[in-house]
Amino acid sequence: MQPIKDHFGRVLKDLRISVIDQCNFRCTYCMPKEIFGKDHVFLSEKELLSFDEIIRLANIFADLGVEKIRITGGEPLMRRDLDKLIAELAKIPGINDIALTTNGVFLPKMSKKLKAAGLKRVNLSLDAIEDEVFKEINDKGVGTRSVLKGIEAAKEAGLQVKINMVVKKGMNESQILPMARYFKGKDIILRYIEFMDVGNHNGWDFNNVISKKDIIQMVDSEMPIEPAEENYYGEVASRYRYKDGEGEIGVISSVTDSFCGSCTRIRLSADGKLYTCLFASDGFDIREKMRNELTDAELEEVLTSLWGRRKDRYSEERSEEKRWNRKKIEMSYIGG
Ligand code: SAM
Ligand code: SF4
Ligand code: SF4
């Protein structure tokens, strides 16, 4: 089958699946306690896509050209039996890469099972190496040790590990260099992420964004780096290698240097809505179509048409200041 293309000719290659909207952290920039407090209503068991539904959709997506799957959340390891889902996804012909984004706290318990199920890579989120700063960010008083243990467990299980660090002015710019120092030479790639205007509740302001250029300059001034080539078409992080050969870092610059032109990603929420952009206002309810007993062939047609209509290029539009303050879905719901 020919790969399917959107309005701008971008092919569909990656599927990001959010498996749960709950999380054990309350990161201030993602799930602020004031909004996601005791009264917040999360998705019910019935609303969540079942594993069978996710697997069915993933099979159809693979038919349409998807090769990579990323599992995310909320905190994906809070979804019971996640390893069983991964084991089934790993069997799908055409899917050659399965990765997981997690805050890492449950990895000591889960890493071996996940690896055995066919998981290859984990992206661990860690926004500070200093305990006090990290505790304040996750707002649950969890120290860095819990995450570092998760990193260790993942490495020991044979999973490839990358670290994601969201950088926000006033929150953790003090950690840019300490994080680089900590992970340099450890065979772990640290990726800095510009603070993005996802969702409606994280108080995003352009003045809180520390740009890719500033991050690079800061690291380079102490630990000289040079640009490295893309690993593959559409890679979201710009790569820089340490000149002394001690590994590399990456920067994901959705705000100051967007990459919509090569965006091959579609996102599936835990309750079965499809989003063709991280900054979309509305999703397409594929759960309703599945539960209304559309056949696989009919679903394939629906998805082909959805992708065919896709005109999203939000980050580019943001730079052109055309759209700025529209209603958006929450990061903890769609999973990044
Ligand atoms: N709970 C898991 C975790 O933290 O890795 C998976 C879900 S979390 C929503 C996925 C990623 O999105 C994390 O690396 C997190 O730091 C990032 N993120 C959340 N809000 C963000 C924002 N406003 N800008 C940039 N990245 C953000
Ligand atoms: Fe939870 Fe991840 Fe959001 Fe932090 S970034 S609140 S760990 S979903
Ligand atoms: Fe893709 Fe939307 Fe991000 Fe652009 S803004 S790279 S279209 S998800």
Side-chain angles (χ1 to χ4, degrees), residues 29 72-75 101-103 125 166 194-196 198 202 331 335:
Y29 60 84
T72 177
E75 175 44 49
T101 305
T102 171
N103 63 35
S125 305
V166 173
E194 288 180 350
F195 179 42
M196 295 187 284
V198 225
N202 66 1
M331 191 66 148

Side-chain angles (χ1 to χ4, degrees), residues 23 25-27 29-31 74 103 332:
C23 185
F25 280 7
R26 285 293 177 272
C27 301
Y29 60 84
C30 177
M31 293 182 83
N103 63 35
S332 58

Side-chain angles (χ1 to χ4, degrees), residues 15-18 49 57 266-270 272-274 286:
L15 171 64
R16 297 192 169 202
I17 305 174
S18 171
L49 286 184
L57 270 180
I266 194 160
R267 293 171 162 88
L268 176 65
S269 71
K273 300 234 170 50
L274 283 166
I286 197 73

Side-chain angles (χ1 to χ4, degrees), residues 177 216-225:
L177 286 173
I216 292 305
Q217 261 175 10
M218 210 187 271
V219 176
D220 186 53
S221 67
E222 183 180 309
M223 293 159 270
I225 46 178

Side-chain angles (χ1 to χ4, degrees), residues 10 259-260 263 265 267 277-279 310 312-315:
R10 296 170 295 188
F259 35 77
C260 299
C263 181
R265 294 174 284 284
R267 293 171 162 88
C277 178
L278 181 55
F279 301 91
R310 176 184 193 243
D312 305 281
R313 46 185 289 278
Y314 175 82
S315 289

Side-chain angles (χ1 to χ4, degrees), residues 2 173 200:
Q2 286 286 320
E173 67 264 51
N200 311 292

Side-chain angles (χ1 to χ4, degrees), residues 11-217:
V11 294
L12 172 60
K13 284 237 172 287
D14 312 73
L15 171 64
R16 297 192 169 202
I17 305 174
S18 171
V19 290
I20 193 161
D21 60 338
Q22 298 179 43
C23 185
N24 52 325
F25 280 7
R26 285 293 177 272
C27 301
T28 49
Y29 60 84
C30 177
M31 293 182 83
K33 256 183 186 158
E34 308 78 59
I35 308 288
F36 296 89
K38 283 203 178 73
D39 298 336
H40 185 80
V41 182
F42 290 100
L43 294 169
S44 67
E45 193 85 11
K46 257 207 223 136
E47 287 172 301
L48 292 178
L49 286 184
S50 68
F51 283 179
D52 284 348
E53 286 172 325
I54 294 175
I55 292 157
R56 180 172 175 214
L57 270 180
N59 266 293
I60 296 171
F61 272 117
D63 261 359
L64 295 174
V66 163
E67 295 169 355
K68 271 167 83 170
I69 291 182
R70 173 170 296 283
I71 309 288
T72 177
E75 175 44 49
L77 295 178
M78 286 176 75
R79 178 87 188 243
R80 212 177 319 126
D81 295 331
L82 189 73
D83 55 307
K84 293 189 179 139
L85 174 67
I86 289 174
E88 291 307 311
L89 294 174
K91 288 182 198 154
I92 299 176
I95 300 297
N96 54 33
D97 188 20
I98 303 183
L100 172 79
T101 305
T102 171
N103 63 35
V105 171
F106 302 112
L107 279 175
K109 213 169 69 191
M110 291 291 292
S111 287
K112 281 194 184 132
K113 272 192 191 173
L114 293 167
K115 171 72 182 173
L119 187 73
K120 298 200 169 140
R121 309 186 286 119
V122 281
N123 286 2
L124 266 119
S125 305
L126 179 64
D127 301 325
I129 197 69
E130 216 176 291
D131 239 16
E132 285 318 306
V133 183
F134 186 59
K135 282 180 180 167
E136 233 172 81
I137 296 173
N138 66 58
D139 215 6
K140 284 278 186 181
V142 179
T144 52
R145 211 165 150 256
S146 304
V147 182
L148 296 176
K149 274 175 137 172
I151 296 173
E152 237 170 71
K155 294 273 282 179
E156 265 172 37
L159 293 163
Q160 197 194 312
V161 175
K162 283 184 191 158
I163 306 296
N164 285 345
M165 170 184 177
V166 173
V167 184
K168 181 184 167 194
K169 201 176 276 175
M171 179 177 90
N172 64 346
E173 67 264 51
S174 68
Q175 300 298 299
I176 295 175
L177 286 173
M179 284 282 284
R181 284 181 209 124
Y182 185 87
F183 288 107
K184 184 169 183 277
K186 286 201 169 73
D187 194 25
I188 293 179
I189 300 173
L190 168 63
R191 304 192 313 172
Y192 299 97
I193 305 178
E194 288 180 350
F195 179 42
M196 295 187 284
D197 51 335
V198 225
N200 311 292
H201 300 301
N202 66 1
W204 188 85
D205 183 333
F206 187 74
N207 293 320
N208 289 335
V209 177
I210 301 191
S211 68
K212 163 169 147 182
K213 190 165 153 260
D214 287 350
I215 295 170
I216 292 305
Q217 261 175 10

Side-chain angles (χ1 to χ4, degrees), residues 249-264:
I249 58 164
V251 186
I252 301 175
S253 55
S254 163
V255 180
T256 66
D257 186 10
S258 51
F259 35 77
C260 299
S262 59
C263 181
T264 54

